[in-house]
């Protein structure tokens, strides 16, 4: 599609939490520092998000809107942000 930015994809690794990966990916999509974003907890419960992803033994994803972006977090730790 013209006029839309490509999605930002970040992979959650052992060096960062899934919450950090989400915030960093959205900040990258906006081209802004992470500290300028609203608290993630105003959109989704960070503990519940972590539990859904970290404790999952099946393939799946959690999708939600955050700071004007659609965020999809797969159970493999991949975070995709549609810009």
């Amino acid at each position: 599609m013209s006029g839309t930015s490509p999605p930002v994809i970040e992979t959650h690794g052992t060096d960062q939490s899934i919450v950090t990966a989400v915030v960093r990916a959205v900040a990258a999509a906006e081209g802004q520092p992470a500290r300028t974003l609203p608290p993630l907890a105003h959109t989704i419960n960070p503990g519940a998000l972590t539990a859904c992803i970290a404790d999952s033994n099946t393939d799946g994803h959690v999708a939600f809107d955050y700071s004007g972006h659609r965020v999809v977090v797969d159970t493999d730790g991949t975070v995709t942000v549609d810009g």
Side-chain angles (χ1 to χ4, degrees), residues 23-38 66-67:
V23 173
R24 288 177 61 177
V26 172
E30 291 192 1
Q32 299 292 327
R35 68 181 177 277
T36 64
L37 296 176
Y66 173 52
S67 192

PDB file of all heavy atoms in Angstrom, residues 23-38 66-67:
ATOM      1  N   VAL A  23       7.539  -1.769  23.649  1.00  0.00           N
ATOM      2  CA  VAL A  23       7.752  -0.326  23.723  1.00  0.00           C
ATOM      3  C   VAL A  23       8.832   0.103  22.737  1.00  0.00           C
ATOM      4  O   VAL A  23       8.684   1.116  22.038  1.00  0.00           O
ATOM      5  CB  VAL A  23       8.086   0.099  25.169  1.00  0.00           C
ATOM      6  CG1 VAL A  23       8.471   1.566  25.230  1.00  0.00           C
ATOM      7  CG2 VAL A  23       6.887  -0.169  26.080  1.00  0.00           C
ATOM      8  N   ARG A  24       9.915  -0.650  22.634  1.00  0.00           N
ATOM      9  CA  ARG A  24      10.985  -0.302  21.697  1.00  0.00           C
ATOM     10  C   ARG A  24      10.500  -0.369  20.254  1.00  0.00           C
ATOM     11  O   ARG A  24      10.850   0.479  19.430  1.00  0.00           O
ATOM     12  CB  ARG A  24      12.183  -1.219  21.901  1.00  0.00           C
ATOM     13  CG  ARG A  24      12.941  -0.913  23.184  1.00  0.00           C
ATOM     14  CD  ARG A  24      14.069  -1.855  23.418  1.00  0.00           C
ATOM     15  NE  ARG A  24      15.035  -1.766  22.318  1.00  0.00           N
ATOM     16  CZ  ARG A  24      16.163  -2.451  22.291  1.00  0.00           C
ATOM     17  NH1 ARG A  24      16.469  -3.267  23.271  1.00  0.00           N
ATOM     18  NH2 ARG A  24      16.994  -2.320  21.274  1.00  0.00           N
ATOM     19  N   ALA A  25       9.696  -1.368  19.930  1.00  0.00           N
ATOM     20  CA  ALA A  25       9.198  -1.500  18.558  1.00  0.00           C
ATOM     21  C   ALA A  25       8.259  -0.344  18.196  1.00  0.00           C
ATOM     22  O   ALA A  25       8.336   0.199  17.091  1.00  0.00           O
ATOM     23  CB  ALA A  25       8.499  -2.843  18.384  1.00  0.00           C
ATOM     24  N   VAL A  26       7.384   0.036  19.115  1.00  0.00           N
ATOM     25  CA  VAL A  26       6.470   1.148  18.841  1.00  0.00           C
ATOM     26  C   VAL A  26       7.252   2.454  18.740  1.00  0.00           C
ATOM     27  O   VAL A  26       6.991   3.285  17.864  1.00  0.00           O
ATOM     28  CB  VAL A  26       5.344   1.227  19.898  1.00  0.00           C
ATOM     29  CG1 VAL A  26       4.511   2.488  19.715  1.00  0.00           C
ATOM     30  CG2 VAL A  26       4.456  -0.005  19.801  1.00  0.00           C
ATOM     31  N   ALA A  27       8.226   2.635  19.610  1.00  0.00           N
ATOM     32  CA  ALA A  27       9.066   3.837  19.533  1.00  0.00           C
ATOM     33  C   ALA A  27       9.784   3.900  18.187  1.00  0.00           C
ATOM     34  O   ALA A  27       9.871   4.963  17.568  1.00  0.00           O
ATOM     35  CB  ALA A  27      10.066   3.860  20.688  1.00  0.00           C
ATOM     36  N   ALA A  28      10.288   2.766  17.717  1.00  0.00           N
ATOM     37  CA  ALA A  28      10.949   2.731  16.411  1.00  0.00           C
ATOM     38  C   ALA A  28       9.973   3.067  15.291  1.00  0.00           C
ATOM     39  O   ALA A  28      10.313   3.792  14.355  1.00  0.00           O
ATOM     40  CB  ALA A  28      11.580   1.358  16.175  1.00  0.00           C
ATOM     41  N   ALA A  29       8.742   2.561  15.396  1.00  0.00           N
ATOM     42  CA  ALA A  29       7.729   2.853  14.370  1.00  0.00           C
ATOM     43  C   ALA A  29       7.406   4.344  14.334  1.00  0.00           C
ATOM     44  O   ALA A  29       7.138   4.898  13.268  1.00  0.00           O
ATOM     45  CB  ALA A  29       6.459   2.047  14.639  1.00  0.00           C
ATOM     46  N   GLU A  30       7.453   4.985  15.495  1.00  0.00           N
ATOM     47  CA  GLU A  30       7.163   6.416  15.560  1.00  0.00           C
ATOM     48  C   GLU A  30       8.391   7.279  15.324  1.00  0.00           C
ATOM     49  O   GLU A  30       8.267   8.486  15.148  1.00  0.00           O
ATOM     50  CB  GLU A  30       6.543   6.754  16.928  1.00  0.00           C
ATOM     51  CG  GLU A  30       5.163   6.194  17.093  1.00  0.00           C
ATOM     52  CD  GLU A  30       4.438   6.751  18.297  1.00  0.00           C
ATOM     53  OE1 GLU A  30       4.985   7.602  19.028  1.00  0.00           O
ATOM     54  OE2 GLU A  30       3.291   6.314  18.497  1.00  0.00           O
ATOM     55  N   GLY A  31       9.569   6.681  15.384  1.00  0.00           N
ATOM     56  CA  GLY A  31      10.790   7.459  15.235  1.00  0.00           C
ATOM     57  C   GLY A  31      11.022   8.377  16.427  1.00  0.00           C
ATOM     58  O   GLY A  31      11.581   9.460  16.273  1.00  0.00           O
ATOM     59  N   GLN A  32      10.572   7.952  17.593  1.00  0.00           N
ATOM     60  CA  GLN A  32      10.660   8.754  18.805  1.00  0.00           C
ATOM     61  C   GLN A  32      11.314   7.934  19.918  1.00  0.00           C
ATOM     62  O   GLN A  32      11.272   6.705  19.891  1.00  0.00           O
ATOM     63  CB  GLN A  32       9.247   9.155  19.272  1.00  0.00           C
ATOM     64  CG  GLN A  32       8.477   9.988  18.293  1.00  0.00           C
ATOM     65  CD  GLN A  32       9.076  11.382  18.128  1.00  0.00           C
ATOM     66  OE1 GLN A  32       9.619  11.960  19.054  1.00  0.00           O
ATOM     67  NE2 GLN A  32       8.975  11.915  16.921  1.00  0.00           N
ATOM     68  N   PRO A  33      11.861   8.601  20.935  1.00  0.00           N
ATOM     69  CA  PRO A  33      12.383   7.861  22.087  1.00  0.00           C
ATOM     70  C   PRO A  33      11.244   7.155  22.831  1.00  0.00           C
ATOM     71  O   PRO A  33      10.110   7.667  22.888  1.00  0.00           O
ATOM     72  CB  PRO A  33      13.003   8.945  22.980  1.00  0.00           C
ATOM     73  CG  PRO A  33      13.153  10.154  22.115  1.00  0.00           C
ATOM     74  CD  PRO A  33      12.114  10.039  21.038  1.00  0.00           C
ATOM     75  N   ALA A  34      11.537   6.010  23.398  1.00  0.00           N
ATOM     76  CA  ALA A  34      10.525   5.230  24.116  1.00  0.00           C
ATOM     77  C   ALA A  34       9.904   6.027  25.261  1.00  0.00           C
ATOM     78  O   ALA A  34       8.722   5.873  25.555  1.00  0.00           O
ATOM     79  CB  ALA A  34      11.137   3.934  24.633  1.00  0.00           C
ATOM     80  N   ARG A  35      10.674   6.904  25.877  1.00  0.00           N
ATOM     81  CA  ARG A  35      10.159   7.660  27.028  1.00  0.00           C
ATOM     82  C   ARG A  35       9.037   8.623  26.647  1.00  0.00           C
ATOM     83  O   ARG A  35       8.326   9.122  27.519  1.00  0.00           O
ATOM     84  CB  ARG A  35      11.287   8.393  27.733  1.00  0.00           C
ATOM     85  CG  ARG A  35      11.895   9.524  26.945  1.00  0.00           C
ATOM     86  CD  ARG A  35      13.040  10.213  27.691  1.00  0.00           C
ATOM     87  NE  ARG A  35      13.644  11.239  26.890  1.00  0.00           N
ATOM     88  CZ  ARG A  35      14.565  11.037  25.967  1.00  0.00           C
ATOM     89  NH1 ARG A  35      15.028   9.831  25.746  1.00  0.00           N
ATOM     90  NH2 ARG A  35      15.050  12.048  25.274  1.00  0.00           N
ATOM     91  N   THR A  36       8.854   8.889  25.347  1.00  0.00           N
ATOM     92  CA  THR A  36       7.787   9.794  24.915  1.00  0.00           C
ATOM     93  C   THR A  36       6.443   9.083  24.753  1.00  0.00           C
ATOM     94  O   THR A  36       5.431   9.749  24.563  1.00  0.00           O
ATOM     95  CB  THR A  36       8.150  10.488  23.587  1.00  0.00           C
ATOM     96  OG1 THR A  36       8.252   9.496  22.563  1.00  0.00           O
ATOM     97  CG2 THR A  36       9.461  11.264  23.710  1.00  0.00           C
ATOM     98  N   LEU A  37       6.443   7.757  24.830  1.00  0.00           N
ATOM     99  CA  LEU A  37       5.206   6.994  24.655  1.00  0.00           C
ATOM    100  C   LEU A  37       4.385   6.993  25.936  1.00  0.00           C
ATOM    101  O   LEU A  37       4.931   7.089  27.032  1.00  0.00           O
ATOM    102  CB  LEU A  37       5.530   5.544  24.285  1.00  0.00           C
ATOM    103  CG  LEU A  37       6.241   5.326  22.958  1.00  0.00           C
ATOM    104  CD1 LEU A  37       6.584   3.858  22.784  1.00  0.00           C
ATOM    105  CD2 LEU A  37       5.403   5.826  21.805  1.00  0.00           C
ATOM    106  N   PRO A  38       3.064   6.850  25.811  1.00  0.00           N
ATOM    107  CA  PRO A  38       2.248   6.701  27.012  1.00  0.00           C
ATOM    108  C   PRO A  38       2.583   5.368  27.685  1.00  0.00           C
ATOM    109  O   PRO A  38       3.073   4.446  27.032  1.00  0.00           O
ATOM    110  CB  PRO A  38       0.810   6.702  26.477  1.00  0.00           C
ATOM    111  CG  PRO A  38       0.920   6.326  25.046  1.00  0.00           C
ATOM    112  CD  PRO A  38       2.273   6.781  24.579  1.00  0.00           C
ATOM    113  N   TYR A  66      -1.813   0.287  20.500  1.00  0.00           N
ATOM    114  CA  TYR A  66      -1.012   1.050  21.453  1.00  0.00           C
ATOM    115  C   TYR A  66      -0.416   2.254  20.742  1.00  0.00           C
ATOM    116  O   TYR A  66       0.219   2.104  19.699  1.00  0.00           O
ATOM    117  CB  TYR A  66       0.085   0.165  22.048  1.00  0.00           C
ATOM    118  CG  TYR A  66       1.094   0.867  22.925  1.00  0.00           C
ATOM    119  CD1 TYR A  66       0.707   1.672  23.986  1.00  0.00           C
ATOM    120  CD2 TYR A  66       2.442   0.715  22.692  1.00  0.00           C
ATOM    121  CE1 TYR A  66       1.632   2.300  24.792  1.00  0.00           C
ATOM    122  CE2 TYR A  66       3.390   1.333  23.496  1.00  0.00           C
ATOM    123  CZ  TYR A  66       2.978   2.124  24.546  1.00  0.00           C
ATOM    124  OH  TYR A  66       3.904   2.760  25.349  1.00  0.00           O
ATOM    125  N   SER A  67      -0.667   3.413  21.266  1.00  0.00           N
ATOM    126  CA  SER A  67      -0.116   4.667  20.745  1.00  0.00           C
ATOM    127  C   SER A  67      -0.407   4.839  19.247  1.00  0.00           C
ATOM    128  O   SER A  67       0.441   5.284  18.485  1.00  0.00           O
ATOM    129  CB  SER A  67       1.391   4.741  21.021  1.00  0.00           C
ATOM    130  OG  SER A  67       1.878   6.041  20.766  1.00  0.00           O
TER     131      SER A  67
END
